[in-house]
Structure formats: structure tokens, C-alpha cells
């Protein structure tokens, strides 16, 4: 394996720079840093355009989260201060003060992982987390992450995860594994139950459900399926009843768990091509004995 290009994405600048410095000390690692989702996406696009794409992105799970009071301007933003070298975290054990606050709104780190992995299929992602959360870890895995790492992990442990995800391995802390398996099992059970419910629909009711998933109202469904609005209303009521729900939103949720795709508008019919007209037959006017 050649050199490993790593992008560190964390809104806490001191931590991000310290981690990037420590990773850059590895003999086969090149490191970049970004302080926001937008900056990270620009860095990924620029690197890809220069044909020097990043191999791994390390993303703060709480990227973009801000305490509510600070977000409203009630608390002045913290001043940036230079940290003397002797106060920098040791290279072997990178730690930061805990910043987890249950009153904070969720960050967009996992959403960034999903966008980055879709835009750059060869990219591997590792989420840096302050707290073990099985539900968020499952979301991260579904978004494309290959690892979930506690922030207090040693540099050696982090490098092991980075090298592991490049080998297509999935890395989770042992303490998180049971919860993640439970969440995945529950999701699979929900999907199986949703599939069973959807299987009870008639073909026409499933067509109506696909239109509902596409966000169409009753009149739009009627126009797409060439039905009367009254007939569509009856089908919608039957769909809700068979799925055991009481709203269109709940029906759409069941459909999505069952893997039902939204209805697509029919392709316009190709214009008819007129049949070629044969050339007129010219009758010979030559008389007998001509030639």
C-alpha cells in the first residue's frame, strides 16, 4: 500500500490540528484538516479534481452541533488562543475535554459521511465519537462509515482502524457491538413485518402506495393512474387499513421499511413515425416495336 491520505473533519480547531499533526508523524500518512462539512466537501472535491483523492475521512459525529444559548447569541463565542507546545496532547494519546451535552442539537457529521461516501465511492469513513450510541453507530454504518472510534482512543488504536477500513474491515468498540447488533436485528425485524404487510396489498393498491411514497396527493394519483379521485380515495383507505396505520405519513414509513420505491411518471409515448410512401410507378409509354 502506498501513502494514505487522511482528511480530519472536526469543528474544534485545536483538537483537529493536534490530531492532524500526530497522524502526519506516521511515515506513510498525509493529512488535511477541515473545520466544517462544507469545507470538507470542498477539500474532497479539490483533491479528486487534482487526482490526489483522500483515502479516509475522519469525521466528528457531532460536527456542527452548537450549544443552544451560543447558537442564539446569548453567549459570546470563545476566543481562539494559541496553545503552547508543552500543552499540546501527547502524540501517543490524543485527548480532548468532553464536550458531549445532551441538550445540544444533533450534529451533521453522519450526514456528511453519507454525502461524502456517495460522492466519492472509493472513500472510507471513520466516525470520531464522544459517547457510544448504538442507534447513531448504526446510522453511521448505513451511511457508509467503516468505523466508530471513541475520541479518547490512542493514536495507535486510531491508526489500526484507519488501516483496517482500507482493508474493507468494519471496526466498532467491543462495548458498542452488542447494542449495534440489537439495533440491526430490530431493524431487520421491522423490515420483515413491513414486507409482510405490503404483500397483502392488491397490485392496484401497491401502485397507489408507490404514488403515496412519491408524495402525490389524491388528485395527482388519480391523474397518474387514470382513476377517479373517489376510486383513489377508496384505495388509499384500503392501504391504510391493511398496513394498520392511520395516516399517509405512517403508510409511507412502512413502505420505505419494506423497500417500496416511489412511483415514477410514465415515459411519454414516442411520436408515431409515418410509414414510408413508395415512389409512384411510371407507366411505360413506348409503343410496339420500340427499341
Amino acid at each position: 500500500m502506498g501513502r494514505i491520505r487522511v482528511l480530519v473533519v472536526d469543528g474544534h480547531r485545536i483538537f483537529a490540528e493536534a490530531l492532524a499533526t500526530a497522524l502526519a508523524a506516521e511515515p506513510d500518512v498525509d493529512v488535511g484538516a477541515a473545520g466544517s462539512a462544507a469545507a470538507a466537501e470542498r477539500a474532497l472535491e479539490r483533491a479528486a479534481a487534482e487526482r490526489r483523492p483522500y483515502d479516509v475521512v475522519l469525521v466528528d459525529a457531532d460536527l456542527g452541533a452548537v450549544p443552544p444559548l451560543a447558537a442564539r447569541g446569548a453567549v459570546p463565542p470563545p476566543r481562539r488562543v494559541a496553545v503552547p507546545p508543552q500543552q499540546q496532547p501527547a502524540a501517543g494519546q490524543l485527548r480532548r475535554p468532553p464536550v458531549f451535552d445532551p441538550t445540544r442539537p444533533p450534529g451533521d457529521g453522519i450526514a456528511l459521511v453519507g454525502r461524502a461516501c456517495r460522492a466519492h465511492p472509493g472513500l472510507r469513513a471513520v466516525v470520531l465519537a464522544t459517547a457510544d450510541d448504538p442507534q447513531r453507530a448504526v446510522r453511521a454504518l448505513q451511511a457508509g462509515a467503516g468505523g466508530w472510534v471513541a475520541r479518547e482512543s490512542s493514536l495507535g488504536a486510531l491508526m489500526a482502524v484507519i488501516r483496517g477500513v482500507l482493508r474493507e474491515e468494519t471496526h466498532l468498540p467491543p462495548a458498542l457491538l452488542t447494542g449495534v447488533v440489537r439495533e440491526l436485528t430490530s431493524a431487520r425485524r421491522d423490515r420483515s413485518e413491513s414486507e409482510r404487510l405490503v404483500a397483502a396489498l392488491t397490485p392496484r393498491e401497491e401502485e397507489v402506495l408507490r404514488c403515496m411514497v412519491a408524495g402525490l396527493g389524491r388528485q395527482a394519483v388519480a391523474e397518474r393512474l387514470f382513476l377517479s379521485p373517489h376510486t383513489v380515495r377508496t384505495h388509499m383507505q384500503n392501504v391504510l387499513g391493511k398496513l394498520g396505520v392511520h395516516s399517509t405519513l405512517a403508510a409511507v414509513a412502512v413502505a420505505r421499511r419494506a423497500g417500496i420505491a416511489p412511483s415514477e411518471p410514465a415515459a411519454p409515448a414516442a411520436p408515431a413515425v409515418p410509414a414510408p410512401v413508395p415512389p409512384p410507378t411510371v407507366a411505360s409509354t413506348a409503343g410496339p416495336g420500340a427499341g
Side-chain angles (χ1 to χ4, degrees), residues 272-280:
V273 178
V277 179

Side-chain angles (χ1 to χ4, degrees), residues 69-169:
L69 290 177
R72 293 195 296 268
V75 177
R79 295 173 58 192
R80 290 179 177 174
V81 296
V83 178
Q86 63 270 24
Q87 295 183 20
Q88 293 282 358
Q93 187 77 19
L94 287 170
R95 295 180 180 271
R96 59 182 284 183
V99 294
F100 178 72
D101 179 354
T103 65
R104 282 186 173 190
D108 63 351
I110 295 174
L112 170 62
V113 168
R115 294 195 302 271
C117 290
R118 286 192 298 271
H120 307 277
L123 183 68
R124 301 293 177 260
V126 175
V127 174
L128 301 173
T130 305
D132 284 345
D133 183 333
Q135 290 184 341
R136 296 187 74 196
V138 168
R139 282 184 50 223
L141 295 175
Q142 292 171 338
W148 179 280
V149 181
R151 286 187 174 278
E152 62 267 22
S153 298
S154 68
L155 181 63
L158 179 57
M159 280 305 307
V161 173
I162 290 173
R163 298 185 194 281
V165 297
L166 287 173
R167 296 191 298 267
E168 306 291 340
E169 298 171 359

Side-chain angles (χ1 to χ4, degrees), residues 199-291:
L201 302 179
T202 66
R204 176 63 81 183
E205 289 166 351
E206 186 173 336
E207 282 185 305
V208 171
L209 179 58
R210 290 183 184 278
C211 291
M212 294 162 68
V213 173
L216 302 182
R218 187 188 310 166
Q219 184 62 41
V221 174
E223 293 172 0
R224 179 167 296 187
L225 300 183
F226 304 103
L227 301 172
S228 72
H230 177 75
T231 300
V232 170
R233 180 174 180 272
T234 300
H235 284 314
M236 285 183 164
Q237 290 176 336
N238 291 341
V239 167
L240 297 184
K242 289 183 178 181
L243 297 185
V245 297
H246 301 285
S247 69
T248 298
L249 187 62
V252 170
V254 172
R256 289 197 176 280
R257 285 198 297 270
I260 297 297
S263 171
E264 298 290 343
V273 178
V277 179
T281 303
V282 180
S284 172
T285 57

